[in-house]
Amino acid sequence: MQFCILQSDAMERDMSKIFCSTHEHRSGIVWCMECEKILCTKCRQRHDKALAEHTSMGLSEYVQFPKCALAMHNLCESHDQQLEMFCQDHNTPCCMKCYKNDHELCKEVSFLQTFVKDFKQTTPLIDLMHKVQELSHILESLIKDTNKNCENLYSRKSSILREIANLRQSLNEHFDKLEKEIVEDLNVKYSEARRNTNEQISLLGDKNVELKRIDMDLSFLNQYATDLQAFLGVRILSKQVEDDQMDLQSLQKDKKICEVDLELTMGPKFLSILKEVKSLGTISIQSKPNNSIIPTEKKTRMITQLNLKRRKYIKIKSKQNMVITGCAILPGLQTVFADFQNSLLVIHNIDGTHNRNIKLCGQPSDMAVVADYMIVVTLWSLNVFVVLDLREDKEIRKVQMKENCYSVDFCNDKILVSFEKSKIVHIMDIFGNVSRNIQIPTPNLSYVVQKENMLLCSNRNENKVTCFTEFGKLSWTFQHELLSEPHQIAIDSNRFLYVTCHGSDTVMAICSDGQSSKILLDSDDGIINPSALHIHKDILLVCNSLSGDAHLYDIICDQ
């Protein structure tokens, strides 16, 4: 497919010179994203009658559309047939001829539609947008640091000049010539250092501009592209982002991104033997590595590689008829449990022995770790959450809410609270100041946790786990025959979700895209009506609701 466009740069195209794909002498007015054609007025009239469901955009949006998406077509380049399959083994889309000729023996081949359906709402596009924004933030930080370095160089130069002047005052005219030479050397080295930092700023600026372009392309893909175009475009943009990321890592490794300084080294004998002194010192450029961390790409783990190794069994020492609704792992591997029925926090030592109980003023429904020994606990019966310092067993703050507080999570220095009968999730600080509310388009939420820009919700009434964007838009829904009465959710460093299934006596792991799962624990492992769980680093704590049994496991993800 070729378009009649006179200029290749999308931002510089003259819309008056964009012509209809069928009638090259007629000016185009819209672009059909499914047909991948520019339509004139007459073509559009016929097109809209026959293909009213197709999506089109005006030329003002078209000229800003990412070039990577324009270069992608629905037809196979080799056979000019519709792309229908996707081979995961080779990470490539293919037509039926390609499939029969080259991919029929591949193990992971599926219909392309299963990958591109609602693609813009799924994890790869969101993750890439997050990665671009993260890298852009790092670049902006590097530019800011390097600009500050330029200012510090000037201050350092002034400081060295003062040192030279102070020394000069104690010496006689014999040092006039030497002073002139050292100042000239300083100026030469300062100019060289400035050139170095200016080159860094220029290099980093170019990278930042490129990332902002990719970010803009992603935004347009997300807003205007078809799912297929978004899917194909993200593959290209992902490669560009990975290349930029590797370039930055290479530059940092080769010390081409570094802090530049000026240093004065004084001659060791000039104070005692004036006649032998030939120089006051030397000026050198000192390069220190920049401490900004450029993230490396994590190796993707398969859920089949995920296993648990039992570390310890804990018998929770609470009162009779306990109902455990929350748990946490503290520094030093102390454990704390929330007993809803008896309004208690129960704390155990690293060896599993009982430490103490803390009486609460209401029934705790959930808890989250805020700092080393600071936790936030929702008190369901009182419509409040409290912030506790467990080093002194002291209540730091109590925040009154309007509804029954149910689940709580702590992420990005913010407390996330959900309510028993509400679709609203509050994001707030520890003082209770609400920064934003998120409307979740589903009732009957059980527990809600946040990971980066995604919200993960369990729904025990409908036996499902759902994932929403930070704006409350549904990303995916997971259901399974053993996902019965799902309760609490936790997320590990590999972004696997762990869910307690109260109705099926299991603990289940789910991939971050909601596409696959694995049963990790069941009744044979002592899991009976599990309710609460918590992950600290690579350690999993799981609690039964009524029996007072808790288990610690090491999370192992085999290579």
Side-chain angles (χ1 to χ4, degrees), residues 156-157 160-161 164 181-193 261-266 279-286:
R156 184 62 177 142
K157 176 190 175 185
I160 293 175
L161 285 172
I164 295 170
E181 292 174 349
I182 194 69
V183 171
E184 289 176 351
D185 187 27
L186 172 61
N187 288 330
V188 170
K189 296 296 174 56
Y190 169 71
S191 298
E192 183 179 346
D261 197 5
L262 295 174
E263 184 173 327
L264 173 65
T265 304
M266 305 304 301
S279 171
L280 290 178
T282 59
I283 302 296
S284 59
I285 299 174
Q286 300 295 319

Side-chain angles (χ1 to χ4, degrees), residues 321-324 502 528-529 531 543-549:
N321 302 319
M322 73 178 75
V323 177
I324 302 301
H502 188 270
I528 306 296
N529 301 132
S531 56
C543 311
N544 290 340
S545 176
L546 305 175
S547 67
D549 296 322

Side-chain angles (χ1 to χ4, degrees), residues 13 104 429 556:
R13 296 174 196 156
E104 196 166 19
D429 59 24
I556 301 170

Side-chain angles (χ1 to χ4, degrees), residues 125-223:
L125 178 59
I126 295 171
D127 284 351
L128 184 59
M129 293 176 71
H130 179 74
K131 182 191 289 186
V132 170
Q133 292 164 3
E134 181 183 12
L135 286 175
S136 180
H137 176 75
I138 291 171
L139 279 169
E140 288 172 356
S141 178
L142 288 169
I143 292 171
K144 182 179 178 180
D145 291 344
T146 309
N147 278 318
K148 186 177 180 180
N149 187 194
C150 286
E151 297 173 2
N152 292 339
L153 279 173
Y154 184 80
S155 298
R156 184 62 177 142
K157 176 190 175 185
S158 301
S159 175
I160 293 175
L161 285 172
R162 285 193 296 272
E163 289 182 58
I164 295 170
N166 290 336
L167 288 172
R168 182 66 184 82
Q169 290 175 5
S170 65
L171 302 175
N172 60 35
E173 293 181 356
H174 175 74
F175 293 98
D176 287 345
K177 179 181 178 182
L178 298 178
E179 181 185 14
K180 180 180 179 182
E181 292 174 349
I182 194 69
V183 171
E184 289 176 351
D185 187 27
L186 172 61
N187 288 330
V188 170
K189 296 296 174 56
Y190 169 71
S191 298
E192 183 179 346
R194 281 300 303 269
R195 285 195 300 273
N196 190 327
T197 55
N198 288 337
E199 289 173 358
Q200 289 189 49
I201 292 172
S202 176
L203 182 62
L204 294 171
D206 291 343
K207 290 292 182 184
N208 195 29
V209 168
E210 184 174 346
L211 276 172
K212 287 184 181 298
R213 176 193 59 77
I214 294 176
D215 190 26
M216 184 182 299
D217 288 352
L218 286 170
S219 296
F220 273 99
L221 279 176
N222 193 30
Q223 186 172 0

Side-chain angles (χ1 to χ4, degrees), residues 75-92:
L75 300 180
C76 171
E77 294 181 357
S78 301
H79 305 107
D80 201 34
Q81 291 188 1
Q82 191 76 21
L83 295 174
E84 297 183 51
M85 311 297 289
F86 187 81
C87 176
Q88 290 179 265
D89 293 350
H90 296 94
N91 192 31
T92 184

Side-chain angles (χ1 to χ4, degrees), residues 262-280:
L262 295 174
E263 184 173 327
L264 173 65
T265 304
M266 305 304 301
K269 297 181 179 180
F270 80 96
L271 291 175
S272 59
I273 313 175
L274 298 178
K275 291 184 180 181
E276 296 182 3
V277 172
K278 304 297 183 183
S279 171
L280 290 178

Side-chain angles (χ1 to χ4, degrees), residues 31-172:
W31 181 51
C32 175
M33 301 172 70
E34 277 79 7
C35 296
E36 298 182 343
K37 289 184 178 182
I38 294 173
L39 307 175
C40 63
T41 303
K42 289 188 176 181
C43 288
R44 183 185 184 183
Q45 292 173 350
R46 292 193 297 268
H47 174 275
D48 289 352
K49 288 181 180 179
L51 302 168
E53 72 279 5
H54 280 199
T55 303
S56 61
M57 67 167 61
L59 294 187
S60 58
E61 290 83 16
Y62 168 75
V63 296
Q64 300 179 62
F65 205 72
K67 289 187 288 185
C68 64
L70 290 178
M72 295 294 100
H73 306 300
N74 299 333
L75 300 180
C76 171
E77 294 181 357
S78 301
H79 305 107
D80 201 34
Q81 291 188 1
Q82 191 76 21
L83 295 174
E84 297 183 51
M85 311 297 289
F86 187 81
C87 176
Q88 290 179 265
D89 293 350
H90 296 94
N91 192 31
T92 184
C94 55
C95 67
M96 293 306 297
K97 278 190 176 181
C98 289
Y99 166 69
K100 292 179 180 179
N101 294 339
D102 304 319
H103 303 281
E104 196 166 19
L105 298 179
C106 295
K107 295 181 179 179
E108 297 291 335
V109 182
S110 305
F111 286 103
L112 183 59
Q113 189 61 30
T114 62
F115 288 90
V116 304
K117 183 180 180 181
D118 298 326
F119 180 76
K120 291 190 289 184
Q121 301 176 19
T122 57
T123 302
L125 178 59
I126 295 171
D127 284 351
L128 184 59
M129 293 176 71
H130 179 74
K131 182 191 289 186
V132 170
Q133 292 164 3
E134 181 183 12
L135 286 175
S136 180
H137 176 75
I138 291 171
L139 279 169
E140 288 172 356
S141 178
L142 288 169
I143 292 171
K144 182 179 178 180
D145 291 344
T146 309
N147 278 318
K148 186 177 180 180
N149 187 194
C150 286
E151 297 173 2
N152 292 339
L153 279 173
Y154 184 80
S155 298
R156 184 62 177 142
K157 176 190 175 185
S158 301
S159 175
I160 293 175
L161 285 172
R162 285 193 296 272
E163 289 182 58
I164 295 170
N166 290 336
L167 288 172
R168 182 66 184 82
Q169 290 175 5
S170 65
L171 302 175
N172 60 35

